[in-house]
Amino acid sequence: MLTLAVKTTFFFVLVSFTLGYSQGIHGGYFNSHYVDFYQGTEKTTVILSVPHDGWKRPSGIASRERGCYDSTTKTCDWDHDCSGHKDSKKCGVSTGADLWSAKLAMEIRAKIAEVTGETPHMIVSQLHRSKMDPNREREEAAQGDFQAEYAFDTYHGFIEKAQDLVKKTGNPGIQFDIHGYSSHPDLWFELGYLIDNDDLDRGQLRRSESSIKSLAERVDVSFEEILRGETSLGGMFQAAGYKAIPSPQYPGPGSGFGGKYYRGGYTTQRWGSRDGGNIDCIQMELPPEPRRDNMEHGPRMGQVMGEFVKKYYSGEDM
């Protein structure tokens, strides 16, 4: 047994896990309190995170429910025993799973390893979203349940561990936060950089507000190009035959017929470079087909993402 001290924003969590190394390109595997951490190779600059494909629903962890709305402070109290009106509109919770996103991430990880020669780190939550949501603020994510809080801190502690390992390479890094959706009619790859929907449509693009600020500051092209030009991730997906936003063909939500788009959530805000550092984060909201048919689409997507990594995160001057 090996003990890892995981530092989080809120408190220190001591995580005990059994370490099992596989030889060659794949690195090691760690598991603690409903979280899997697949450690990549020493020189990788890539992290994959999968928050919403968990399947475990332990009875000892209370199920998440809508919170109580305080009209005076205009805030939600997420404690299970909160007093007041439980408001489903203002304090509702999402509990649906992003099915097959972990399997897709595994396929993507293998292809990125093949393209770059380095296997990415990967963090996966095993808890169903009805029990804990790693892509929300801690209070909403765990709603005061101690075991859910522990799992939340473990999940983000492993991300911190992975980012520390990337920092040791001396190169800039990239985290892909992998999600799924089924409710948006355009069925495009939604690449979230923390840029608001309206700002994308109006062309009001500020790199200082984006989760790839570090990348935007070190490349010799415009922010618009790196966000939605031919050399952007969306542009590279478009060239590979995928419908992606933002991209040259779909620069903003208004360019589709549904106008729906996820800009990025808690993980992208917390772990991207908007607030400093040189590790970027992109939220990837994916429609059902590539997740369901992951053995077909995972390698195709991993090829694109691997080429994106080689272009911008290889440590070479650009």
Side-chain angles (χ1 to χ4, degrees):
M1 294 292 287
L2 179 67
T3 300
L4 169 68
V6 179
K7 178 183 176 184
T8 71
T9 303
F10 305 96
F11 55 81
F12 289 90
V13 180
L14 293 179
V15 181
S16 297
F17 54 79
T18 301
L19 173 62
Y21 279 112
S22 56
Q23 298 298 314
I25 198 170
H26 296 292
Y29 169 76
F30 309 80
N31 171 268
S32 178
H33 207 72
Y34 306 111
V35 184
D36 294 322
F37 176 33
Y38 301 86
Q39 184 172 324
T41 46
E42 184 178 0
K43 295 181 180 179
T44 186
T45 57
V46 183
I47 302 166
L48 305 174
S49 50
V50 186
H52 292 158
D53 197 16
W55 65 97
K56 293 185 177 180
R57 307 181 197 224
S59 59
I61 298 179
S63 295
R64 297 171 64 240
E65 56 187 22
R66 61 186 182 272
C68 299
Y69 183 67
D70 187 327
S71 58
T72 303
T73 62
K74 293 182 170 54
T75 59
C76 296
D77 182 349
W78 295 107
D79 248 23
H80 284 283
D81 58 354
C82 65
S83 58
H85 172 57
K86 286 186 177 288
D87 194 316
S88 59
K89 277 194 172 182
K90 293 184 172 65
C91 303
V93 295
S94 298
T95 58
D98 296 346
L99 296 176
W100 312 295
S101 54
K103 290 182 179 179
L104 177 64
M106 280 288 192
E107 296 292 334
I108 289 172
R109 182 178 186 246
K111 192 64 177 183
I112 291 177
E114 181 183 320
V115 173
T116 67
E118 300 293 340
T119 302
H121 307 294
M122 188 168 78
I123 298 93
V124 180
S125 173
Q126 295 181 355
L127 279 180
H128 191 270
R129 196 177 181 186
S130 62
K131 296 296 183 177
M132 191 275 290
D133 187 342
N135 198 40
R136 295 292 187 272
E137 295 278 355
R138 189 171 186 263
E139 289 76 13
E140 181 181 352
Q143 298 193 339
D145 186 287
F146 176 76
Q147 291 191 68
E149 290 174 339
Y150 196 103
F152 178 91
D153 292 332
T154 302
Y155 181 88
H156 287 282
F158 277 139
I159 292 179
E160 182 173 29
K161 174 65 176 176
Q163 290 216 357
D164 286 344
L165 291 170
V166 170
K167 290 172 186 176
K168 288 180 180 179
T169 69
N171 295 320
I174 177 68
Q175 178 172 336
F176 299 106
D177 193 40
I178 299 177
H179 296 251
Y181 73 91
S182 58
S183 59
H184 295 178
D186 285 288
L187 297 178
W188 45 25
F189 288 14
E190 301 181 6
L191 308 176
Y193 303 92
L194 303 181
I195 306 297
D196 286 340
N197 297 27
D198 290 343
D199 288 341
L200 282 173
D201 284 334
R202 290 192 294 254
Q204 296 179 349
L205 310 175
R206 292 173 286 272
R207 69 183 186 183
S208 62
E209 297 178 0
S210 82
S211 60
I212 57 166
K213 183 175 74 172
S214 174
L215 173 61
E217 290 177 343
R218 60 185 173 80
V219 293
D220 294 327
V221 296
S222 69
F223 178 52
E224 182 165 16
E225 172 61 29
I226 203 65
L227 184 73
R228 60 189 184 186
E230 292 183 0
T231 59
S232 68
L233 182 59
M236 294 173 73
F237 273 128
Q238 178 182 304
Y242 287 109
K243 186 178 181 180
I245 175 179
S247 67
Q249 185 174 359
Y250 301 102
S255 59
F257 61 84
K260 301 293 186 180
Y261 165 75
Y262 288 120
R263 64 186 288 272
Y266 173 78
T267 300
T268 312
Q269 296 169 30
R270 178 173 177 180
W271 296 111
S273 62
R274 183 188 64 179
D275 299 325
N278 69 345
I279 300 179
D280 301 306
C281 186
I282 301 172
Q283 178 170 301
M284 298 178 63
E285 284 280 355
L286 303 168
E289 182 182 346
R291 292 181 285 122
R292 182 183 60 245
D293 301 332
N294 49 77
M295 294 186 71
E296 173 190 349
H297 291 281
R300 288 180 59 195
M301 294 174 63
Q303 180 71 39
V304 173
M305 293 161 71
E307 294 296 337
F308 181 77
V309 169
K310 285 178 67 177
K311 184 174 182 63
Y312 295 116
Y313 299 94
S314 64
E316 299 176 3
D317 293 333
M318 289 168 288

